[in-house]
Amino acid sequence: MTQIRDTKTQIDSDIGIIATDVHKWYGNHFHVLRGVSLTVKRGEVVVIMGPSGSGKSTFIRTFNALEEFQKGSIIVDGINLSHDIKNIEAIRREVGMVFQQFNLFPHLSVLENVTLAPIWVRRWPKAKAEEIAMQLLERVGILEQAQKFPGQLSGGQQQRVAIARALAMQPKIMLFDEPTSALDPEMVREVLDVMRNLADSGMTMVVVTHEVGFAREVADRIVLMADGILVEEATPEEFFQNAKEERTRKFLSQIL
Amino acid sequence: MKTLENQQLSQPKITRITPKEWLQQNLFSTWYNSLLTIVLLAGISWGIYGFFKWAIAVAEWEVIKVNLPLFMVGRYPKDQYWRIWLIVGIISSFAGLSWGVIGRKAATLFTIPVLIVLGIISAISLLIPGAVPFKLLLILMVGLVVGNGWIGKQLGNKITTLGRWLSFGWFIAFLLILWLMLGGLGIKSVSTNDWGGLMLTIFMAVVSIFLSFPLGVLLALGRQSTLPVIKIFSIAYIEIFRGLPLISILFMGQIMIPLFLPEGMRPDRVLRAILGLTLFSSAYLAENVRGGLQSVPRGQIEAAKALGLNTPLVLALIVLPQALKVAIPSIVGQFISLFQDTTLLAIVGLVELLGMSRSILAQPQFLGDYAEVYLFNGILFWIICYAMSLGSRQLEKKLNTGH
């Protein structure tokens, strides 16, 4: 089980996420995460790359406890991710997540999707939540569609709404789990542009993606995961020009 | 090139066929189709002719005409009928208001199908055998629906929170109706033993529906719970009540409970009937709702949790609205069969519509008028059940957000 650390441990205030030696098993035998450690500083953009099945999605999903882990520790925004449900909810309030399949709520309008959590979790008055939602929708370029339902939007528009929905909680950290993998090619750019602007505004971001261009331009650091371990951690230049590990070079030769 | 463009531009021809061509294509295309058409047509015409011949010449509708009050309200005291009319008035008004508020965004409430239905109801009200004041009251009820529909539309556009108050209003109206039916507190009290006919049928069905729905939802959620006690209890409840025939539950309620409990502590018969119907129906509803719950993708729950919503909020705001929407057709199907199942109470001695019909048929002057009475029963049941299924289709349409 998780090592229970003292949550009051003095944590450097400019650190967003510290994951130490995280292990996860599915059942008794399938060891998905085999001791992964990663530190994400505030304002930093970390891109996680790697072949499919390497555990990168599972890893990013442990940061907001959508996946449990059996060994190791994760501290997000100074809060130790234990099994305490209150801790988990506190972390989820501060961490936004964008999913591969958008996961917008189909029975709610775009505006209601964005205002739902601020109204019910942050307890903001409806008018305030809507005002901020409209600003965010304008920022992601969806303002005119506010009254429509998700089913009436294109994939790219839906993903931009999903980003606005996560931002509406005013999170300190944003997690992106393959945000462009389910999109038609011509819609990838509009989503990446929004993410690029977000990175420029200083948001702490952890992004699982296969978009080489985005990783090269936006990432502060790129990590490569394979078979449940963290193979390499490097700046974009190092990563793409002269990777230290053979595994990384093999991966790059396959995708470039 | 030019011809190609022309071809692309010209739309496929929509061929209009004359009725004669339609008949030839669909009913008389080959010699055996023609034969089938003629034989079936003859059979159907013979059936219709026989029915109308019976309905006009043979059938004795006197039994319906004389006993109409009994069919409708049973042995409810005659001098208290005004309370029933008041109840129908309250229901008509609230139904009208709700209709207006729900349709407030529409250009007009009075679309052609609505006008047709209103016309048919008004015509029936006028043509139905009975005294003039009775007909006028029926017309007044139609007027209440239409008038309140108009008011609801006007108010609904001005006060946007009216929808929320409306469900509260319905609840108050229900308490008011209960008081009017039971009496007491200043008006003459009427024992539930004197309730009967269609009134009792509708009362038991409506109350059972409103009680079994939340119970069914809770059981469905309980069945998926991670807490073993709740899960096992829910499964046991559902499987036990689905394995028992309704009639045996109703018998237990009507005959066995009085054996266990001393005189004076026995709950009212109508209450026991409602209890039996509710217990039975909620087990089936739970399974219908569970089907809906399983149709909600996992990603929906993950997205809601990732936003920081706690489990009750995830259920109430994200999972249930989507699950119930999917389950509407089967839920309404369950309600319709619950409504029809109330007839089983005739066997255990309640005088709801069917029970009342049986005692009317026992009157010496109407012995043997089975066909007339049961046809009348059938028509009433059909109208109400069809209205429920129409309503459910409207609800589905309204909730459709294109996904």
Side-chain angles (χ1 to χ4, degrees), chain A residues 61 64 66 89 92 95 99 103-107 116-117 120-121 149 151 165 169, chain B residues 298-300 302-310 313 317-318 321-322 401-403:
Chain A
R61 285 156 58 92
N64 63 352
L66 285 182
E89 278 167 12
R92 284 174 178 162
V95 178
F99 298 85
N103 295 347
L104 291 180
F105 306 130
H107 60 300
L116 180 89
W120 289 92
V121 180
F149 285 95
R165 178 177 72 177
M169 283 292 282
Chain B
R298 244 184 70 139
Q300 289 290 309
E302 288 182 348
K305 281 184 173 174
L307 285 167
L309 271 71
N310 57 27
L313 283 180
L317 301 174
I318 306 302
Q322 296 185 54
T401 56
H403 67 272

Side-chain angles (χ1 to χ4, degrees), chain B residues 41-54:
Chain B
L41 220 55
I44 293 168
S45 329
W46 182 73
I48 292 175
Y49 170 75
F51 173 78
F52 276 101
K53 203 174 130 189
W54 171 81

Side-chain angles (χ1 to χ4, degrees), chain A residues 110-138 143 146-147 164-165 167-170:
Chain A
V110 165
L111 185 63
E112 287 165 340
N113 263 278
V114 181
T115 56
L116 180 89
I119 289 174
W120 289 92
V121 180
R122 291 261 190 249
R123 298 271 163 200
W124 289 353
K126 198 172 170 219
K128 181 187 173 191
E130 285 187 348
E131 194 192 321
I132 291 177
M134 293 309 261
Q135 287 169 9
L136 283 167
L137 288 174
E138 192 174 10
L143 193 57
Q147 302 304 332
R165 178 177 72 177
L167 290 176
M169 283 292 282
Q170 303 191 326

Side-chain angles (χ1 to χ4, degrees), chain A residues 12-17 39-47 77 94 171-174 176 195-207 214 217-221:
Chain A
D12 206 333
S13 63
D14 52 74
I15 295 214
I17 301 171
T39 302
V40 182
K41 291 198 212 86
R42 288 198 193 280
E44 198 177 25
V45 177
V46 174
V47 167
D77 193 37
E94 306 306 328
K172 295 177 183 150
I173 299 165
M174 284 285 286
F176 292 84
M195 290 168 62
R196 198 170 279 133
N197 287 335
L198 195 60
D200 290 343
S201 73
M203 176 63 79
T204 312
M205 291 164 64
V206 181
V207 185
F214 177 82
E217 289 164 40
V218 183
D220 295 307
R221 253 184 318 145

Side-chain angles (χ1 to χ4, degrees), chain B residues 16-307:
Chain B
R16 276 178 209 280
I17 53 168
T18 63
K20 193 183 157 203
E21 279 169 339
W22 185 89
L23 280 176
Q24 268 173 355
Q25 280 170 19
N26 292 287
L27 298 176
F28 297 98
S29 54
T30 57
W31 69 266
Y32 51 85
N33 270 351
S34 308
L35 189 68
L36 265 178
T37 304
I38 290 165
V39 169
L40 283 176
L41 220 55
I44 293 168
S45 329
W46 182 73
I48 292 175
Y49 170 75
F51 173 78
F52 276 101
K53 203 174 130 189
W54 171 81
I56 291 162
V58 185
E60 293 168 358
W61 296 110
E62 198 60 19
V63 60
I64 309 292
K65 206 169 151 185
V66 172
N67 293 302
L68 199 59
L70 279 177
F71 279 117
M72 292 300 144
V73 297
R75 281 186 292 270
Y76 207 83
K78 274 204 166 56
D79 58 340
Q80 303 295 320
Y81 278 179
W82 61 271
R83 278 150 66 169
I84 306 293
W85 282 111
L86 201 54
I87 289 168
V88 179
I90 291 171
I91 294 173
S92 304
S93 306
F94 268 91
L97 266 179
S98 308
W99 172 46
V101 171
I102 289 167
R104 66 182 180 274
K105 300 251 168 65
T108 172
L109 285 175
F110 304 103
T111 54
I112 290 167
V114 171
L115 286 176
I116 291 173
V117 170
L118 285 176
I120 291 174
I121 294 174
S122 312
I124 292 175
S125 308
L126 286 174
L127 293 175
I128 208 166
V132 175
F134 173 73
K135 292 180 186 182
L136 285 179
L137 277 168
L138 278 179
I139 293 291
L140 175 70
M141 297 304 149
V142 178
L144 277 175
V145 173
V146 172
N148 280 296
W150 186 81
I151 293 172
K153 189 164 148 64
Q154 305 302 316
L155 282 180
N157 281 325
K158 279 198 195 110
I159 312 161
T160 45
T161 53
L162 200 65
R164 250 174 278 161
W165 286 103
L166 215 53
S167 27
F168 181 67
W170 271 108
F171 179 69
I172 298 294
F174 174 73
L175 294 181
L176 194 63
I177 288 168
L178 204 59
W179 171 62
L180 282 171
M181 283 176 80
L182 275 169
L185 299 170
I187 51 175
K188 189 178 155 195
S189 66
V190 178
S191 155
T192 52
N193 289 331
D194 292 334
W195 295 7
L198 187 63
M199 178 185 84
L200 182 60
T201 297
I202 291 177
F203 180 80
M204 289 192 301
V206 168
V207 176
S208 305
I209 284 170
F210 276 94
L211 291 177
S212 61
F213 180 66
L215 196 58
V217 172
L218 284 179
L219 284 168
L221 293 173
R223 194 169 186 163
Q224 303 212 318
S225 169
T226 47
L227 302 170
V229 177
I230 294 176
K231 191 184 170 101
I232 290 170
F233 172 80
S234 305
I235 292 176
Y237 178 99
I238 291 167
E239 295 307 334
I240 288 171
F241 277 97
R242 287 207 313 162
L244 289 171
L246 176 57
I247 187 72
S248 68
I249 297 173
L250 295 176
F251 263 120
M252 268 187 245
Q254 298 299 325
I255 294 161
M256 286 174 69
I257 289 180
L259 294 179
F260 303 145
L261 295 173
E263 191 84 45
M265 266 187 66
R266 292 172 194 169
D268 183 83
R269 297 180 75 186
V270 173
L271 194 64
R272 274 180 273 152
I274 287 173
L275 202 66
L277 289 170
T278 304
L279 291 176
F280 178 80
S281 182
S282 57
Y284 280 86
L285 271 177
E287 289 298 276
N288 295 340
V289 174
R290 188 166 71 108
L293 288 176
Q294 279 168 346
S295 75
V296 178
R298 244 184 70 139
Q300 289 290 309
I301 299 165
E302 288 182 348
K305 281 184 173 174
L307 285 167

Side-chain angles (χ1 to χ4, degrees), chain A:
Chain A
M1 284 290 119
T2 332
Q3 285 173 303
I4 308 296
R5 286 193 175 186
D6 183 8
T7 48
K8 298 284 180 286
T9 320
Q10 197 57 46
I11 291 148
D12 206 333
S13 63
D14 52 74
I15 295 214
I17 301 171
I18 314 174
T20 321
D21 193 32
V22 176
H23 287 265
K24 179 181 173 69
W25 285 265
Y26 279 125
N28 281 328
H29 299 292
F30 187 40
H31 200 171
V32 233
L33 300 177
R34 309 165 172 240
V36 193
S37 300
L38 180 73
T39 302
V40 182
K41 291 198 212 86
R42 288 198 193 280
E44 198 177 25
V45 177
V46 174
V47 167
I48 303 178
M49 301 187 92
S52 57
S54 59
K56 50 193 193 309
S57 278
T58 310
F59 185 48
I60 197 178
R61 285 156 58 92
T62 59
F63 295 168
N64 63 352
L66 285 182
E67 298 280 353
E68 290 183 346
F69 54 97
Q70 280 83 34
K71 210 176 139 217
S73 87
I74 298 178
I75 298 171
V76 180
D77 193 37
I79 306 170
N80 196 335
L81 238 183
S82 59
H83 290 279
D84 184 359
I85 191 88
K86 284 272 170 282
N87 262 358
I88 291 176
E89 278 167 12
I91 286 177
R92 284 174 178 162
R93 282 197 290 272
E94 306 306 328
V95 178
M97 188 167 213
V98 176
F99 298 85
Q100 183 177 355
Q101 300 295 342
F102 329 134
N103 295 347
L104 291 180
F105 306 130
H107 60 300
L108 301 177
S109 72
V110 165
L111 185 63
E112 287 165 340
N113 263 278
V114 181
T115 56
L116 180 89
I119 289 174
W120 289 92
V121 180
R122 291 261 190 249
R123 298 271 163 200
W124 289 353
K126 198 172 170 219
K128 181 187 173 191
E130 285 187 348
E131 194 192 321
I132 291 177
M134 293 309 261
Q135 287 169 9
L136 283 167
L137 288 174
E138 192 174 10
R139 191 163 147 197
V140 299
I142 301 271
L143 193 57
E144 312 79 58
Q145 328 274 5
Q147 302 304 332
K148 286 193 183 168
F149 285 95
Q152 297 164 310
L153 304 184
S154 73
Q157 290 171 324
Q158 289 194 47
Q159 193 61 298
R160 284 185 280 151
V161 173
I163 294 173
R165 178 177 72 177
L167 290 176
M169 283 292 282
Q170 303 191 326
K172 295 177 183 150
I173 299 165
M174 284 285 286
L175 308 173
F176 292 84
D177 185 7
E178 304 204 26
T180 55
S181 299
L183 293 176
D184 290 337
E186 73 269 23
M187 292 171 183
V188 170
R189 222 180 110 193
E190 57 190 66
V191 172
L192 291 181
D193 283 344
V194 169
M195 290 168 62
R196 198 170 279 133
N197 287 335
L198 195 60
D200 290 343
S201 73
M203 176 63 79
T204 312
M205 291 164 64
V206 181
V207 185
V208 173
T209 186
H210 295 292
E211 294 295 328
V212 175
F214 177 82
R216 205 193 294 266
E217 289 164 40
V218 183
D220 295 307
R221 253 184 318 145
I222 301 178
V223 296
L224 183 90
M225 275 185 78
D227 304 321
I229 52 169
L230 215 144
V231 176
E232 177 146 11
E233 206 176 326
T235 61
E237 299 89 68
E238 272 176 9
F239 188 85
F240 289 110
Q241 261 95 54
N242 76 72
K244 289 189 219 80
E245 303 290 333
E246 174 58 28
R247 187 71 187 82
T248 312
R249 285 196 290 274
K250 193 181 154 210
F251 173 72
L252 288 174
S253 74
Q254 280 162 344
I255 61 163
L256 288 177

